[in-house]
Amino acid sequence: MSQSSESQLEDVTVAVFLAQEGSEEVEFTEPKDVVTDAGATVDVVGHETGEGRTVNNDLEESESYEIEKSFDEVSADDYDAVIVPGGTVGADTLRTREAGVELLREHVEAGKPTAVICHGPWTLVEADVVDGKTLTSYHSLQTDVRNAGGEWVDEEVVVDDGLITSRNPDDLDAFCETILEEFGAASE
């Protein structure tokens, strides 16, 4: 890379979605830390401001993190890239939040890079942006992806027209590496 890792994304603004409860902690923290460390400006965005309680392995309560902005107070124009973590309950909650789904739809339709992992693709299905796309997710979502017109594949990380998807926390290294590449390329 020609730039240092600290400045690789210095002109990039990223929204990281977080549910009030149930987002998988490592799928939230690791991608967020990677883009922050690369110099991006990062906002944690959710249904409402306040605390977002994460989980480990879907069932064990973990740490709380600040949700800095609500979906209602931001727009797709505010961000160069978006990250959506998984966690069964968190992803299920996020896909029921109309303002968040609309933000995601507008972002993807604008052709901006969007990174989504594990159960997070439920939000993509709800946003109606997977038709004709190839993506991966936690294996139990493959029927949802196919029913929404997408092609589901069992791969560590998949990139299709700015949409970056991965299966689960075991894929985080590849997912984060791909986020840096794709977010960086989009900012050039």
Side-chain angles (χ1 to χ4, degrees), residues 15-21 23 28 43-52 65-74 79 82-85 90 93-94 97-101 103:
V16 182
F17 283 22
L18 184 63
Q20 297 327 105
E21 291 189 32
S23 292
F28 165 72
D43 290 334
V44 178
V45 182
H47 177 62
E48 57 188 40
T49 58
E51 294 289 303
Y65 297 89
E66 181 184 0
I67 297 172
E68 301 159 326
K69 296 183 177 182
S70 73
F71 294 133
D72 290 328
E73 61 186 296
V74 299
Y79 299 102
V82 168
I83 298 170
V84 182
T93 300
L94 288 172
R97 304 302 186 193
E98 189 175 320
V101 170
L103 174 66

Side-chain angles (χ1 to χ4, degrees), residues 141-161:
L141 276 63
Q142 59 186 297
T143 300
D144 298 320
V145 168
R146 289 180 181 131
N147 286 343
E151 179 183 348
W152 187 89
V153 294
D154 186 13
E155 295 178 19
E156 188 175 54
V157 64
V158 175
V159 179
D160 186 348
D161 196 25

Side-chain angles (χ1 to χ4, degrees), residues 128-151:
D128 196 24
V129 294
V130 302
D131 190 27
K133 303 261 197 225
T134 300
L135 60 149
T136 194
S137 65
Y138 193 74
H139 64 87
S140 65
L141 276 63
Q142 59 186 297
T143 300
D144 298 320
V145 168
R146 289 180 181 131
N147 286 343
E151 179 183 348

Side-chain angles (χ1 to χ4, degrees), residues 98-131:
E98 189 175 320
V101 170
E102 183 60 27
L103 174 66
L104 189 63
R105 178 183 304 111
E106 291 173 5
H107 187 83
V108 172
E109 288 177 349
K112 298 178 182 182
T114 307
V116 188
I117 188 167
C118 202
H119 285 81
W122 268 338
T123 56
L124 297 171
V125 168
E126 193 65 33
D128 196 24
V129 294
V130 302
D131 190 27

Side-chain angles (χ1 to χ4, degrees), residues 157-177:
V157 64
V158 175
V159 179
D160 186 348
D161 196 25
L163 197 58
I164 306 152
T165 53
S166 279
R167 300 172 298 193
N168 58 55
D170 293 338
D171 299 334
L172 275 166
D173 287 345
F175 183 64
C176 289
E177 182 178 315

